[in-house]
Amino acid sequence: MPKTSARLLALLSLLQARRDWPGQLLAERLDVSPRTVRRDVDRLRELGYPIAAFKGPDGGYRLDAGARLPPLLFDDDQAVALAVALRTATATGAGIGEAAARALTTVRQVMPARLRHRVDALNVTAVERTGGPPQPQADPRVLLALSDAVRAHEVLRFDHSPAYAPPGAAAPPAVRRVEPHRLVTWGGRWYLVAWDLERADWRTFRADRISPRTPTGPRFTPREVPGGDVAAFVAARFQGSGALGEWPCRGEVILDAPASEVAGHLRNGIVEECGPDRCRVVVGAWSWPALAAGLGRFDVDIEVVGPEELRDAFALLARRYAAAAGQGHRGSTGSRAP
């Protein structure tokens, strides 16, 4: 039987891995009796972990959210992933750079030496795009307020600052009343996708220009965005604006690569995580072959979701590349070798 301290850590790790644990299953996993599990649960409660017991044929335990944050337990991969996420937080546009740096310092202090060395060796620097004005940072408190309204399905009122003001004049913010649908990020900026009640249409608002008003309004029944896909809807809305231009061709693929790696190299598109090593990409270009060739630069397996024109463009490039590969080497005079 493992020592009490090691067993408590193992029990805590199991409770964090899934929502509900039958008591008998916990006892089997820890190789102890159900009575020992009950005692260990009581010890964790004394340390501040809010563990609730539920009744029933498979009665067991659940780690609930508490009024204060108890000590957390991360495995090695989780700790390194957390450190990397905190180091790159300045590039998210959420205005949490200073808080992320302080959080990273706190996490690093309690890491064992072997993990601290791994994190220190992974020297990541988040570099923002150049060649334009600095990206505005969204207030984290505003993002939380918007997220709360989205989750609660409550009508939201806010002041929305205009993008441009006449020279020498300060344009007053417009008061908007919307049904918030989703909070999204694109190109280092945060946006609220919402149904505008005054204009009876879908709108996309920059979060850094929003000042929420309180209290929120009544609850509403959520609508479905046109097409039913938020990522595709946002991508379509950005066509014809600023850096995206009005792309005549837009396609969707699945790339066998992590979303974090693809997003750093994709300027005119939206990346959505599908798993640890897969992501969905919606991107536009001036022509279908150009779109297919641009996706090919990631050097990973590609699954075409649509449309058919993009699939045909990949087939066209495959024939061209195969023909080029089948040609002989050219001589120094430029004549084609047999």
Side-chain angles (χ1 to χ4, degrees):
M1 181 184 298
K3 294 182 179 180
T4 302
S5 57
R7 197 175 62 244
L8 288 178
L9 290 176
L11 174 58
L12 181 58
S13 180
L14 290 173
L15 290 172
Q16 291 179 163
R18 57 184 273 184
R19 178 167 175 79
D20 294 330
W21 276 96
Q24 184 61 41
L25 182 56
L26 279 176
E28 294 174 1
R29 293 290 292 270
L30 297 171
D31 194 22
V32 296
S33 66
R35 182 179 181 182
T36 300
V37 172
R38 289 195 297 271
R39 290 178 177 175
D40 288 346
V41 167
D42 289 338
R43 292 189 179 99
L44 289 176
R45 286 170 175 163
E46 293 174 358
L47 294 174
Y49 292 95
I51 302 175
F54 57 90
K55 300 180 180 180
D58 295 325
Y61 304 95
R62 175 188 305 126
L63 182 61
D64 285 340
R68 61 190 180 91
L69 186 65
L72 300 177
L73 180 66
F74 297 103
D75 59 32
D76 290 9
D77 291 338
Q78 289 175 327
V80 174
L82 178 61
V84 172
L86 291 172
R87 278 188 170 173
T88 57
T90 55
T92 64
I96 57 173
E98 181 182 348
R102 289 189 284 106
L104 177 59
T105 300
T106 301
V107 171
R108 186 185 176 280
Q109 286 176 346
V110 297
M111 281 183 175
R114 67 179 190 283
L115 288 185
R116 204 158 49 239
H117 294 327
R118 290 180 63 187
V119 171
D120 293 342
L122 187 60
N123 192 8
V124 180
T125 301
V127 180
E128 298 183 4
R129 292 175 181 171
T130 59
Q135 291 279 38
Q137 299 288 299
D139 189 330
R141 293 169 296 182
V142 171
L143 295 179
L144 287 175
L146 299 180
S147 180
D148 289 342
V150 169
R151 185 178 61 255
H153 305 312
E154 294 177 342
V155 172
L156 183 66
R157 297 180 304 127
F158 58 84
D159 296 326
H160 190 249
S161 303
Y164 305 99
V175 180
R176 310 300 283 265
R177 185 169 167 269
V178 303
E179 295 178 353
H181 180 77
R182 191 72 61 84
L183 195 62
V184 301
T185 177
W186 180 86
R189 289 179 177 174
W190 289 81
Y191 298 87
L192 174 68
V193 179
W195 175 263
D196 193 313
L197 293 171
E198 303 299 332
R199 294 160 178 79
D201 194 10
W202 289 96
R203 291 289 190 272
T204 304
F205 304 94
R206 277 203 5 209
D208 59 283
R209 296 178 182 154
I210 291 178
S211 298
R213 293 191 173 195
T214 55
T216 53
R219 293 176 61 87
F220 62 88
T221 301
R223 307 168 188 263
E224 185 174 315
V225 296
D229 189 323
V230 175
F233 172 78
V234 173
R237 281 297 171 108
F238 280 117
Q239 291 181 12
S241 67
L244 272 179
E246 188 165 353
W247 301 119
C249 306
R250 183 168 61 88
E252 179 180 343
V253 299
I254 302 295
L255 298 182
D256 284 350
S260 57
E261 294 182 4
V262 174
H265 301 281
L266 192 70
R267 180 175 179 82
N268 298 320
I270 290 181
V271 183
E272 182 178 354
E273 186 178 53
C274 298
D277 296 310
R278 283 169 62 85
C279 63
R280 187 170 72 98
V281 174
V282 180
V283 65
W286 290 110
S287 70
W288 294 112
L291 180 55
L295 291 167
R297 75 182 189 272
F298 290 104
D299 193 24
V300 296
D301 289 341
I302 302 173
E303 176 188 337
V304 179
V305 178
E308 196 64 30
E309 289 84 351
L310 179 57
R311 202 181 312 275
D312 294 340
F314 275 110
L316 173 63
L317 292 181
R319 292 194 297 271
R320 287 178 177 172
Y321 293 155
Q327 295 173 0
H329 296 288
R330 294 181 180 272
S332 58
T333 60
S335 60
R336 184 174 300 173

